[in-house]
């Protein structure tokens, strides 16, 4: 298997730790181990006592007990913890799909949603978000995309890179379609919890449908990407068995210190999400006024959820724009060419505390260069 280079990750490999200012990150402001331990008195000693042998292959029971509380119908045997959501995507595709199968994938998308499948010989049909409808998905299109060899539908909600969140009716329509066609519904929910209006939060797909796989991670909603903790939650016995066996060839078991810290994070989900949401709310207000000032060159579609937005450049290519901004200001933006979505859009991150200051640097540059 030889997956295509992951363009976004290769870009970050070059720039993430050298660019002066990041303005396109999807992981929100993180915290230190000390900050996390401060949520629970005595946890420093607990971390010190953590045994450094292998942990159980599906994840430490204490962590899975905490994760199960995030769902209605999931118990600890319905969860497999992975090294980040990325490992779980790789494992699902490799263990449950094979050459000749077909999968329908929400696009634009995080590249592993389709490149891993393509490398395996699975054919992928893009299910495109509609920009003119605020990046909405049309569940009616699924009937046109499905084939006899279709095995799975992949949806990402809240969505990276557009910040789209389907309403309940549309989400139910996707679940109904998957159920009618007896397909797996792989639901990437790593931004779940970061709905800008909490009343719009969707149920987890695994609670609605017995063949759904909900993908979770601490990297985004909790702001703890460095823990490298992700998981799948599903009631599908075949998926649990297949992914368990495949994980033996990946990381076998997870990092014991990360699992200890992850359990603290999950117990304090509400506080961590509120911390991230207060940064996001503040940044959104600043971005609203910025995009109103620059409406001649940039089209703003306010995201409904998550840590990223995907404005459109009205003139000039996104790739050149991002390269010039980086060279002249040190601000890193992400062009849509790296997300297989033309050359007109730019991904902007909403979750970092310094976003207003970085935006000011970008604005100074735009003012200086004029709105050409
Ligand atoms: C939609 C989506 N899924 C999965 C991942 C991978 O997450 P992790 O860092 O936990 O592996 C990302 C990371 O950006 C993402 O945006």
């Amino acid at each position: 298997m030889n997956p295509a280079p992951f363009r976004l990750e290769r870009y970050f490999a070059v720039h993430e730790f050298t660019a002066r200012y990041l303005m396109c990150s999807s992981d929100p402001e993180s915290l230190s181990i000390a900050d996390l331990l401060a949520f629970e008195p005595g946890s420093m000693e607990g971390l010190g006592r953590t045994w450094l042998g292998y942990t159980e292959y599906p994840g430490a029971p204490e962590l899975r007990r905490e994760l199960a509380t995030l769902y209605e119908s999931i118990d600890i045997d319905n969860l497999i913890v992975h090294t980040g959501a990325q490992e779980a995507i790789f494992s699902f595709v490799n263990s449950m799909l094979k050459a000749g199968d077909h999968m329908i994938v929400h696009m634009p998308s995080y590249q592993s949603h389709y490149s891993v499948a393509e490398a395996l010989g699975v054919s992928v049909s893009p299910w495109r978000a509609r920009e003119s409808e605020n990046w909405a998905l049309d569940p009616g299109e699924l009937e046109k995309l499905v084939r006899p060899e279709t095995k799975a539908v992949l949806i990402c909600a809240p969505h990276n890179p557009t910040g789209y969140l389907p309403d309940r009716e549309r989400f139910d329509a996707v679940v109904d379609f998957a159920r009618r066609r007896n397909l797996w519904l792989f639901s990437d929910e790593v931004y779940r919890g970061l709905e800008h209006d909490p009343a719009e939060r969707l149920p987890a797909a695994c609670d609605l449908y017995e063949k759904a796989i909900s993908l979770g991670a601490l990297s985004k909603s909790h702001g703890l990407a460095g823990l490298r903790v992700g998981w799948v939650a599903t009631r599908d016995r075949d998926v649990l068995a297949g992914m368990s066996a495949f994980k033996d060839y990946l990381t076998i078991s997870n990092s014991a210190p990360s699992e200890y810290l992850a359990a603290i994070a999950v117990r304090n989900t509400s506080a961590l999400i509120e911390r991230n949401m207060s940064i996001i709310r503040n940044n959104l207000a600043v971005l609203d006024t910025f995009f109103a000032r620059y409406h001649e060159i940039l089209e703003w579609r306010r995201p409904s959820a998550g840590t990223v937005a995907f404005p459109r450049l009205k003139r000039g290519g996104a790739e050149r724009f991002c390269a010039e901004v980086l060279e002249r200001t040190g601000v890193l933006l992400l062009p849509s060419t790296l997300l297989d979505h033309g050359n007109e859009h730019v991904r902007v991150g909403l979750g970092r505390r310094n976003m207003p200051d970085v935006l000011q640097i970008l604005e100074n540059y735009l003012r200086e260069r004029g709105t050409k």
Side-chain angles (χ1 to χ4, degrees):
M1 174 192 219
N2 190 13
F6 200 133
R7 284 184 293 279
L8 172 150
E9 297 297 349
R10 288 295 90 207
Y11 183 73
F12 277 124
V14 175
H15 298 298
E16 186 174 6
F17 296 97
T18 52
R20 249 174 305 153
Y21 312 103
L22 301 182
M23 216 188 113
C24 57
S25 306
S26 60
D27 53 318
E29 189 81 21
S30 198
L31 42 152
S32 68
I33 292 178
D35 294 338
L36 182 63
L37 293 174
F39 278 94
E40 293 189 355
S43 55
M44 179 68 104
E45 293 70 31
L47 180 62
R49 284 192 302 273
T50 298
W51 192 252
L52 290 176
Y54 286 110
T55 66
E56 289 189 26
Y57 78 85
E62 189 186 344
L63 172 57
R64 283 182 292 136
R65 256 192 299 281
E66 298 301 337
L67 290 172
T69 66
L70 304 178
Y71 304 96
E72 299 288 324
S73 60
I74 293 297
D75 66 34
I76 73 165
D77 296 329
N78 300 124
L79 287 154
I80 310 176
V81 180
H82 288 83
T83 302
Q86 184 76 294
E87 186 189 48
I89 298 167
F90 188 78
S91 173
F92 170 74
V93 173
N94 275 282
S95 57
M96 304 316 293
L97 303 178
K98 58 181 186 325
D101 286 346
H102 172 247
M103 176 159 78
I104 300 171
V105 177
H106 183 175
M107 296 272 214
S109 193
Y110 190 62
Q111 194 177 330
S112 48
H113 291 161
Y114 53 92
S115 282
V116 178
E118 285 171 345
L120 209 61
V122 173
S123 59
V124 170
S125 292
W127 179 27
R128 294 213 177 271
R130 297 178 173 194
E131 182 175 15
S132 58
E133 293 167 37
N134 254 346
W135 298 110
L137 286 172
D138 177 1
E141 284 176 17
L142 291 169
E143 285 296 347
K144 293 180 211 137
L145 296 172
V146 73
R147 301 181 192 169
E149 62 276 20
T150 307
K151 293 289 176 349
V153 177
L154 188 151
I155 187 170
C156 177
H159 186 229
N160 171 14
T162 66
Y164 167 68
L165 181 69
D167 58 25
R168 179 67 197 266
E169 201 182 321
R170 269 177 217 252
F171 198 57
D172 283 349
V174 179
V175 170
D176 287 350
F177 168 80
R179 182 178 278 120
R180 243 183 359 262
R181 296 285 184 162
N182 193 31
L183 305 175
W184 283 305
L185 176 60
F186 192 90
S187 179
D188 186 327
E189 299 169 4
V190 300
Y191 297 92
R192 186 162 176 262
L194 298 177
E195 298 75 15
H196 302 168
D197 173 359
E200 292 180 353
R201 182 164 311 157
L202 291 168
C206 62
D207 285 330
L208 296 178
Y209 175 40
E210 48 298 342
K211 281 192 71 168
I213 301 101
S214 288
L215 178 70
L218 297 182
S219 314
K220 315 294 174 177
S221 47
H222 294 67
L224 297 168
L227 285 184
R228 307 307 301 130
V229 169
W231 62 89
V232 286
T234 183
R235 289 177 279 155
D236 187 301
R237 293 280 142 205
D238 293 341
V239 172
L240 290 165
M243 290 185 70
S244 296
F246 194 72
K247 197 182 161 196
D248 295 343
Y249 286 104
L250 299 174
T251 49
I252 304 176
S253 69
N254 307 296
S255 147
S258 279
E259 289 197 324
Y260 177 83
L261 295 167
I264 298 174
V266 179
R267 275 194 292 279
N268 292 282
T269 291
S270 306
L272 287 165
I273 284 182
E274 185 39 45
R275 169 186 176 276
N276 293 331
M277 277 312 306
S278 74
I279 297 172
I280 290 170
R281 273 192 293 269
N282 181 50
N283 288 346
L284 272 174
V286 175
L287 285 166
D288 283 341
T289 59
F290 167 84
F291 283 107
R293 282 198 295 280
Y294 288 89
H295 65 95
E296 277 178 30
I297 53 167
L298 287 157
E299 186 176 0
W300 176 227
R301 290 186 196 281
R302 200 177 210 268
S304 308
T307 53
V308 286
F310 207 40
R312 188 173 70 84
L313 262 181
K314 293 184 177 173
R315 291 195 279 283
E319 204 160 70
R320 209 180 106 204
F321 176 76
C322 293
E324 276 173 13
V325 168
L326 180 63
E327 190 192 316
R328 300 289 304 278
T329 67
V331 173
L332 188 71
L333 295 164
L334 183 77
S336 52
T337 44
L338 301 176
L339 298 166
D340 267 338
H341 193 77
N343 190 18
E344 289 187 358
H345 297 82
V346 173
R347 191 177 84 176
V348 174
L350 318 169
R352 298 289 176 93
R353 222 171 236 134
N354 67 350
M355 206 282 303
D357 297 334
V358 177
L359 188 65
Q360 188 59 59
I361 295 166
L362 175 64
E363 179 158 14
N364 292 345
Y365 165 69
L366 291 177
R367 211 181 285 132
E368 187 186 300
R369 112 184 163 154
T371 52
K372 55 184 193 246

